[in-house]
Amino acid sequence: MATGAMNPVKALSDATLRPYWLDDPSRPEALPALVGDEYCDLLVVGGGYTGLWTALNAKERDPGRDVVLIEGQESGWAASGRNGGFCAASLTHGWANGRARWPAELTALEELGHRNLDGLEAALARHGIDCDFERTGEIDVATAPHQVHELKEAAEEAETLGVRGHVFLDRDAVRAEVDSPTFLAGLWNRRGVAMLHPARLAWGLKRACLALSVRIYEHTPGTGLSSRSAGVAVRTPYGRVFARHAALGTNAFPSLVKRLRPYIAPVYDYALMTEPLTPEQLASVGWRRRQGLSDSANHFHYFRLTADRRILWGGYDIVYRYGGGVRAEYDHHPATYRRLAGHFFRCFPQLEGVRFSHTWGGAIDTCSRFSAFFGTAHRGRVAYALGFTGLGVGATRFGADVMLDLLSGERTERTELEMVRSKPLPFPPEPVRSVGIGITQWAMTRADANGGRRNLWLKAMDKAGLGFDS
């Protein structure tokens, strides 16, 4: 596909095949691997947001608690360092999903989510974490006529339900914010989303943990988990960790609690990053308030500005690999990069000539209810938080607090939530899983092309409480 005289694929010719966020001279050096045995009060497995927030919050709750964190590669290298940097207050992948699943708790979940985002912002200030945090909000944009009606209904329903800060924008109003000929309307969540540099958030959390005497071992994957009389033990390639309690933040990777593995389907998401825009190029788009954006299709794009005036453009394709493996060779998908480049210039034809500097992808820990689930194992000595489904930048901090509550045995407003006490439906085994996901993908594409009308398959999936999203 070409736009004007330019083939969009040519804009990819010089792109670096690595996440833009991780291609940063401020990236910290890796810490040594664990060799031998370690003993602690709390072992955290996983050096992404979930694990780092758990270690940090554990030390803030009890500075005397002895905490060890192990990470299979380097802290923040996976989903936490390569996401879009959308930090949302929502704990439920949007209030519509929360209303559909936990209507009686929606008010409490919204309040807890906003308190969590406020607490995250306060923690950044308290620990001096500079990650380009900007509370800009996010606009969902309509790019098809039926989506305009859906956004109007969503704005009215948000007002009825008392969900604050949502403003409907007609065609002229949304294009006054961000100018694209494809935008027909928008719904601006003005208070519930911030933009940030995801890798610097992870690195800042790592530094904060070290400052509070958390012992972090990198290049130290957990290879096995077992109970002991006084707690649990986790095997690593060169040693073991013995702990009273353990918290698992393993994202899309196979859980050390094997019965949890059917609840997660790793799906792959991909993104492009442009070179920095000139002042004239940025002026042609507008975007003065720097909101995050996403469109309203089932196969949707998400896009935002960076601090140095680049545009991140991601989403649309949701790639599942047979068997649900998480492998490095899946991190790049040229067919998706080509498709995304074409879509970018269709959205912003005034930016013809802009090139892409970075392309990348990675796994998301999707579950069937699109939002995290929690629980314990090994007689309450192990806690887990999984299934954030691409909305974990903010929600992982809440998940960390849930895990700490569960390990302490406390009854809190978090642990009393039905959202926390319930589980999603597991995905079926292969080959049924792949067939089901393939049919769902096809049905979602058909719905986007047919005015949003959901066929019998999607309606049946909705009724069963199963879904597939990124």
Side-chain angles (χ1 to χ4, degrees):
M1 183 184 80
T3 178
M6 177 186 174
N7 180 347
V9 178
K10 291 183 178 179
L12 294 164
S13 61
D14 299 323
T16 299
L17 296 175
R18 74 172 66 95
Y20 164 76
W21 310 114
L22 297 174
D23 193 14
D24 187 324
S26 66
R27 182 173 183 165
E29 293 292 324
L31 296 171
L34 172 66
V35 177
D37 290 347
E38 263 282 21
Y39 298 84
C40 60
D41 297 323
L42 174 67
L43 169 64
V44 178
V45 180
Y49 295 146
T50 305
L52 291 165
W53 279 119
T54 303
L56 183 64
N57 291 358
K59 291 295 285 188
E60 289 197 328
R61 289 186 183 198
D62 179 3
R65 182 180 296 179
D66 189 20
V67 180
V68 168
L69 183 150
I70 60 172
E71 161 55 44
Q73 293 200 32
E74 295 180 29
S75 299
W77 76 277
S80 297
R82 61 188 179 210
N83 61 80
F86 287 64
C87 185
S90 177
L91 305 175
T92 61
H93 215 129
W95 59 265
N97 188 52
R99 175 208 60 210
R101 298 180 186 279
W102 306 286
E105 292 184 346
L106 183 60
T107 300
L109 288 167
E110 285 289 310
E111 177 61 27
L112 284 167
H114 282 280
R115 281 163 47 190
N116 180 65
L117 183 58
D118 291 342
L120 186 152
E121 185 175 10
L124 299 182
R126 188 165 60 251
H127 295 286
I129 297 173
D130 181 5
C131 59
D132 298 334
F133 185 91
E134 298 179 273
R135 209 140 181 182
T136 60
E138 179 182 5
I139 303 175
D140 291 332
V141 295
T143 56
H146 72 274
Q147 296 167 7
V148 177
H149 177 68
E150 291 171 356
L151 291 183
K152 284 182 179 178
E153 284 192 333
E156 292 167 0
E157 191 167 10
E159 184 175 358
T160 299
L161 294 170
V163 179
R164 296 169 291 166
H166 287 70
V167 179
F168 178 77
L169 306 173
D170 63 17
R171 178 184 178 277
D172 290 342
V174 72
R175 291 190 62 174
E177 295 295 333
V178 183
D179 191 11
S180 167
T182 67
F183 293 175
L184 304 179
L187 182 60
W188 186 2
N189 177 355
R190 300 190 65 158
R191 63 186 293 267
V193 183
M195 298 292 110
L196 53 75
H197 187 303
R200 288 182 186 169
L201 171 59
W203 300 334
L205 292 172
K206 173 182 172 179
R207 286 191 293 270
C209 285
L210 292 170
L212 294 180
S213 301
V214 176
R215 300 195 300 287
I216 298 177
Y217 297 97
E218 296 182 326
H219 295 288
T220 303
T223 59
L225 170 66
S226 59
S227 291
R228 291 290 188 269
S229 58
V232 296
V234 171
R235 294 190 305 277
T236 72
Y238 306 124
R240 296 170 297 178
V241 183
F242 298 93
R244 291 176 56 202
H245 295 105
L248 307 182
T250 49
N251 189 38
F253 297 92
S255 176
L256 292 176
V257 178
K258 292 182 180 180
R259 63 179 169 82
L260 298 178
R261 295 180 183 180
Y263 291 89
I264 295 297
V267 299
Y268 277 76
D269 178 57
Y270 299 92
L272 314 177
M273 185 72 83
T274 72
E275 63 188 353
L277 302 187
T278 66
E280 294 76 19
Q281 288 169 331
L282 185 56
S284 74
V285 179
W287 220 337
R288 291 178 297 278
R289 298 192 238 209
R290 303 178 54 82
Q291 304 97 326
L293 285 92
S294 62
D295 61 55
S296 302
N298 290 309
H299 289 283
F300 65 92
H301 306 87
Y302 55 88
F303 39 117
R304 47 91 39 113
L305 285 171
T306 66
D308 59 350
R309 302 196 314 270
R310 299 170 186 262
I311 297 177
L312 178 144
W313 179 265
Y316 191 78
D317 280 349
I318 307 165
V319 180
Y320 174 77
R321 310 283 185 164
Y322 185 91
V326 180
R327 300 178 184 173
E329 58 263 36
Y330 298 160
D331 286 352
H332 297 288
H333 200 237
T336 295
Y337 298 151
R338 183 169 59 246
R339 189 173 296 116
L340 286 173
H343 295 173
F344 176 86
F345 289 110
R346 185 184 303 154
C347 182
F348 295 122
Q350 65 269 49
L351 295 181
E352 182 173 343
V354 168
R355 304 184 72 82
F356 298 105
S357 63
H358 295 75
T359 63
W360 71 92
I364 294 172
D365 59 334
T366 299
C367 73
S368 64
R369 72 184 195 187
F370 307 157
S371 53
F373 64 96
F374 316 90
T376 61
H378 290 262
R379 292 176 289 178
R381 295 168 177 165
V382 174
Y384 54 84
L386 291 169
F388 291 94
T389 316
L391 205 73
V393 177
T396 47
R397 181 178 179 274
F398 176 83
D401 278 329
V402 170
M403 287 197 289
L404 293 172
D405 291 350
L406 293 172
L407 290 175
S408 72
E410 293 180 70
R411 293 183 60 179
T412 69
E413 58 184 336
R414 289 179 288 262
T415 62
E416 292 297 295
L417 291 168
E418 176 63 22
M419 177 197 176
V420 170
R421 293 185 288 111
S422 63
K423 296 285 189 298
L425 292 172
F427 291 102
E430 298 288 12
V432 177
R433 177 186 292 200
S434 287
V435 171
I437 289 174
I439 294 172
T440 302
Q441 293 271 44
W442 170 82
M444 290 165 63
T445 302
R446 293 272 296 180
D448 283 339
N450 292 321
R453 291 185 291 275
R454 297 172 75 79
N455 65 14
L456 291 176
W457 175 265
L458 291 179
K459 290 177 180 177
M461 295 285 282
D462 292 341
K463 190 173 182 179
L466 284 166
F468 190 65
D469 198 5
S470 68

